[in-house]
Short mmCIF file of all heavy atoms in Angstrom, two decimals:
data_model
loop_
_atom_site.label_atom_id
_atom_site.label_comp_id
_atom_site.label_asym_id
_atom_site.label_seq_id
_atom_site.Cartn_x
_atom_site.Cartn_y
_atom_site.Cartn_z
N GLN T 264 24.54 126.91 -34.34
CA GLN T 264 24.48 128.31 -34.75
C GLN T 264 24.47 128.45 -36.27
O GLN T 264 23.78 129.30 -36.83
CB GLN T 264 25.65 129.07 -34.14
CG GLN T 264 25.52 129.26 -32.63
CD GLN T 264 26.77 129.83 -31.99
OE1 GLN T 264 27.64 130.34 -32.67
NE2 GLN T 264 26.86 129.72 -30.67
N GLN T 265 25.24 127.59 -36.95
CA GLN T 265 25.25 127.63 -38.42
C GLN T 265 23.89 127.22 -38.98
O GLN T 265 23.36 127.85 -39.91
CB GLN T 265 26.34 126.70 -38.95
CG GLN T 265 27.76 127.17 -38.63
CD GLN T 265 28.81 126.16 -39.05
OE1 GLN T 265 28.51 125.01 -39.38
NE2 GLN T 265 30.07 126.59 -39.03
N THR T 266 23.31 126.17 -38.39
CA THR T 266 22.01 125.70 -38.87
C THR T 266 20.92 126.72 -38.60
O THR T 266 20.07 127.00 -39.45
CB THR T 266 21.65 124.36 -38.20
OG1 THR T 266 22.69 123.41 -38.45
CG2 THR T 266 20.34 123.82 -38.74
N VAL T 267 20.95 127.32 -37.40
CA VAL T 267 19.93 128.32 -37.05
C VAL T 267 20.06 129.56 -37.93
O VAL T 267 19.06 130.20 -38.28
CB VAL T 267 20.03 128.68 -35.56
CG1 VAL T 267 19.16 129.88 -35.24
CG2 VAL T 267 19.61 127.50 -34.70
N ALA T 268 21.29 129.90 -38.34
CA ALA T 268 21.47 131.03 -39.24
C ALA T 268 20.77 130.77 -40.58
O ALA T 268 20.12 131.67 -41.14
CB ALA T 268 22.96 131.29 -39.47
N GLN T 269 20.88 129.55 -41.08
CA GLN T 269 20.16 129.19 -42.32
C GLN T 269 18.65 129.23 -42.10
O GLN T 269 17.90 129.69 -42.95
CB GLN T 269 20.58 127.79 -42.77
CG GLN T 269 22.07 127.66 -43.13
CD GLN T 269 22.43 126.23 -43.50
OE1 GLN T 269 21.86 125.67 -44.44
NE2 GLN T 269 23.35 125.64 -42.77
N LEU T 270 18.22 128.73 -40.94
CA LEU T 270 16.80 128.76 -40.61
C LEU T 270 16.29 130.20 -40.57
O LEU T 270 15.21 130.50 -41.08
CB LEU T 270 16.58 128.12 -39.24
CG LEU T 270 16.22 126.64 -39.17
CD1 LEU T 270 16.18 126.18 -37.73
CD2 LEU T 270 14.89 126.39 -39.85
N GLN T 271 17.07 131.06 -39.95
CA GLN T 271 16.66 132.46 -39.83
C GLN T 271 16.51 133.10 -41.20
O GLN T 271 15.57 133.87 -41.46
CB GLN T 271 17.69 133.23 -38.98
CG GLN T 271 17.28 134.66 -38.66
CD GLN T 271 18.26 135.33 -37.72
OE1 GLN T 271 19.23 134.71 -37.28
NE2 GLN T 271 18.03 136.58 -37.41
N GLU T 272 17.43 132.77 -42.10
CA GLU T 272 17.36 133.33 -43.46
C GLU T 272 16.12 132.83 -44.18
O GLU T 272 15.38 133.61 -44.81
CB GLU T 272 18.62 132.96 -44.23
CG GLU T 272 18.64 133.53 -45.66
CD GLU T 272 19.90 133.17 -46.42
OE1 GLU T 272 20.82 132.57 -45.80
OE2 GLU T 272 19.98 133.47 -47.62
N LEU T 273 15.87 131.52 -44.12
CA LEU T 273 14.73 130.94 -44.83
C LEU T 273 13.40 131.45 -44.28
O LEU T 273 12.50 131.82 -45.04
CB LEU T 273 14.78 129.41 -44.74
CG LEU T 273 15.85 128.73 -45.60
CD1 LEU T 273 15.99 127.27 -45.21
CD2 LEU T 273 15.50 128.85 -47.08
N THR T 274 13.26 131.46 -42.95
CA THR T 274 12.00 131.92 -42.38
C THR T 274 11.83 133.42 -42.56
O THR T 274 10.70 133.92 -42.64
CB THR T 274 11.91 131.56 -40.88
OG1 THR T 274 13.02 132.15 -40.18
CG2 THR T 274 11.94 130.05 -40.69
N GLY T 275 12.96 134.15 -42.65
CA GLY T 275 12.88 135.58 -42.94
C GLY T 275 12.36 135.82 -44.35
O GLY T 275 11.56 136.74 -44.59
N VAL T 276 12.81 134.99 -45.29
CA VAL T 276 12.32 135.08 -46.67
C VAL T 276 10.82 134.80 -46.71
O VAL T 276 10.04 135.52 -47.36
CB VAL T 276 13.07 134.08 -47.57
CG1 VAL T 276 12.37 133.94 -48.93
CG2 VAL T 276 14.51 134.53 -47.77
N ALA T 277 10.40 133.74 -46.01
CA ALA T 277 8.97 133.40 -45.99
C ALA T 277 8.16 134.55 -45.41
O ALA T 277 7.09 134.89 -45.92
CB ALA T 277 8.76 132.12 -45.19
N ARG T 278 8.65 135.15 -44.37
CA ARG T 278 7.93 136.24 -43.73
C ARG T 278 7.82 137.45 -44.65
O ARG T 278 6.76 138.08 -44.73
CB ARG T 278 8.64 136.63 -42.43
CG ARG T 278 7.92 137.71 -41.64
CD ARG T 278 8.57 137.92 -40.29
NE ARG T 278 7.74 138.71 -39.40
CZ ARG T 278 7.89 138.78 -38.09
NH1 ARG T 278 8.87 138.09 -37.51
NH2 ARG T 278 7.09 139.52 -37.35
N ALA T 279 8.91 137.75 -45.35
CA ALA T 279 8.91 138.89 -46.27
C ALA T 279 7.98 138.65 -47.46
O ALA T 279 7.27 139.57 -47.91
CB ALA T 279 10.33 139.18 -46.75
N GLN T 280 7.97 137.44 -47.98
CA GLN T 280 7.13 137.12 -49.14
C GLN T 280 5.65 137.21 -48.78
O GLN T 280 4.82 137.59 -49.61
CB GLN T 280 7.46 135.71 -49.66
CG GLN T 280 8.82 135.59 -50.30
CD GLN T 280 8.93 136.33 -51.62
OE1 GLN T 280 7.92 136.73 -52.21
NE2 GLN T 280 10.15 136.54 -52.10
N ALA T 281 5.31 136.83 -47.53
CA ALA T 281 3.90 136.82 -47.12
C ALA T 281 3.51 138.12 -46.44
O ALA T 281 2.77 138.14 -45.45
CB ALA T 281 3.65 135.64 -46.19
N ASP T 282 4.01 139.24 -46.97
CA ASP T 282 3.68 140.54 -46.38
C ASP T 282 3.86 141.62 -47.45
O ASP T 282 4.23 141.32 -48.59
CB ASP T 282 4.58 140.80 -45.16
CG ASP T 282 3.94 141.79 -44.19
OD1 ASP T 282 2.92 142.40 -44.56
OD2 ASP T 282 4.48 141.94 -43.08
N GLY T 283 3.61 142.85 -47.12
CA GLY T 283 3.73 143.96 -48.06
C GLY T 283 2.38 144.57 -48.40
O GLY T 283 1.32 144.03 -48.06
N GLU T 284 2.41 145.72 -49.09
CA GLU T 284 1.18 146.47 -49.38
C GLU T 284 0.21 145.67 -50.23
O GLU T 284 -0.99 145.63 -49.97
CB GLU T 284 1.52 147.78 -50.07
CG GLU T 284 2.27 148.77 -49.18
CD GLU T 284 2.51 150.09 -49.90
OE1 GLU T 284 2.02 150.24 -51.03
OE2 GLU T 284 3.18 150.97 -49.31
N LEU T 285 0.74 145.00 -51.28
CA LEU T 285 -0.14 144.24 -52.16
C LEU T 285 -0.78 143.09 -51.41
O LEU T 285 -1.98 142.82 -51.53
CB LEU T 285 0.68 143.71 -53.36
CG LEU T 285 -0.10 142.86 -54.37
CD1 LEU T 285 -1.24 143.68 -55.00
CD2 LEU T 285 0.84 142.35 -55.46
N TRP T 286 0.03 142.38 -50.60
CA TRP T 286 -0.47 141.23 -49.84
C TRP T 286 -1.57 141.68 -48.86
O TRP T 286 -2.63 141.06 -48.79
CB TRP T 286 0.68 140.57 -49.08
CG TRP T 286 0.32 139.25 -48.45
CD1 TRP T 286 -0.39 139.06 -47.30
CD2 TRP T 286 0.64 137.94 -48.94
NE1 TRP T 286 -0.53 137.73 -47.03
CE2 TRP T 286 0.09 137.01 -48.03
CE3 TRP T 286 1.34 137.46 -50.05
CZ2 TRP T 286 0.23 135.64 -48.18
CZ3 TRP T 286 1.48 136.10 -50.20
CH2 TRP T 286 0.93 135.19 -49.29
N ARG T 287 -1.29 142.78 -48.17
CA ARG T 287 -2.26 143.23 -47.17
C ARG T 287 -3.53 143.79 -47.84
O ARG T 287 -4.61 143.69 -47.28
CB ARG T 287 -1.62 144.27 -46.25
CG ARG T 287 -0.57 143.64 -45.32
CD ARG T 287 -0.06 144.59 -44.27
NE ARG T 287 0.92 143.95 -43.41
CZ ARG T 287 0.73 143.63 -42.15
NH1 ARG T 287 -0.45 143.86 -41.59
NH2 ARG T 287 1.68 143.07 -41.43
N PHE T 288 -3.37 144.38 -49.04
CA PHE T 288 -4.55 144.82 -49.78
C PHE T 288 -5.43 143.62 -50.12
O PHE T 288 -6.65 143.65 -49.94
CB PHE T 288 -4.15 145.55 -51.05
CG PHE T 288 -5.28 145.79 -52.01
CD1 PHE T 288 -6.20 146.81 -51.78
CD2 PHE T 288 -5.45 144.96 -53.12
CE1 PHE T 288 -7.26 147.01 -52.66
CE2 PHE T 288 -6.51 145.16 -53.99
CZ PHE T 288 -7.42 146.19 -53.76
N ALA T 289 -4.79 142.53 -50.59
CA ALA T 289 -5.54 141.34 -50.99
C ALA T 289 -6.18 140.65 -49.78
O ALA T 289 -7.16 139.91 -49.94
CB ALA T 289 -4.61 140.36 -51.72
N GLU T 290 -5.66 140.92 -48.57
CA GLU T 290 -6.25 140.31 -47.38
C GLU T 290 -7.67 140.80 -47.14
O GLU T 290 -8.45 140.16 -46.44
CB GLU T 290 -5.39 140.63 -46.14
CG GLU T 290 -4.07 139.86 -46.11
CD GLU T 290 -3.22 140.23 -44.90
OE1 GLU T 290 -3.68 141.09 -44.10
OE2 GLU T 290 -2.13 139.67 -44.73
N GLY T 291 -8.03 141.96 -47.74
CA GLY T 291 -9.38 142.49 -47.58
C GLY T 291 -10.38 141.90 -48.55
O GLY T 291 -11.58 142.19 -48.46
N LEU T 292 -9.91 141.09 -49.51
CA LEU T 292 -10.80 140.50 -50.50
C LEU T 292 -11.57 139.33 -49.90
O LEU T 292 -11.08 138.65 -48.99
CB LEU T 292 -10.00 140.01 -51.71
CG LEU T 292 -9.24 141.09 -52.49
CD1 LEU T 292 -8.40 140.46 -53.58
CD2 LEU T 292 -10.22 142.11 -53.08
N PRO T 293 -12.80 139.09 -50.39
CA PRO T 293 -13.56 137.95 -49.87
C PRO T 293 -12.90 136.63 -50.27
O PRO T 293 -12.17 136.55 -51.26
CB PRO T 293 -14.94 138.11 -50.53
CG PRO T 293 -14.69 138.94 -51.74
CD PRO T 293 -13.55 139.85 -51.42
#
Side-chain angles (χ1 to χ4, degrees):
Q264 289 171 15
Q265 293 174 348
T266 304
V267 170
Q269 297 177 59
L270 266 174
Q271 187 175 358
E272 181 179 354
L273 287 168
T274 58
V276 167
R278 183 173 193 163
Q280 291 291 345
D282 204 349
E284 293 184 4
L285 179 61
W286 190 282
R287 289 188 180 250
F288 168 78
E290 287 178 359
L292 298 175

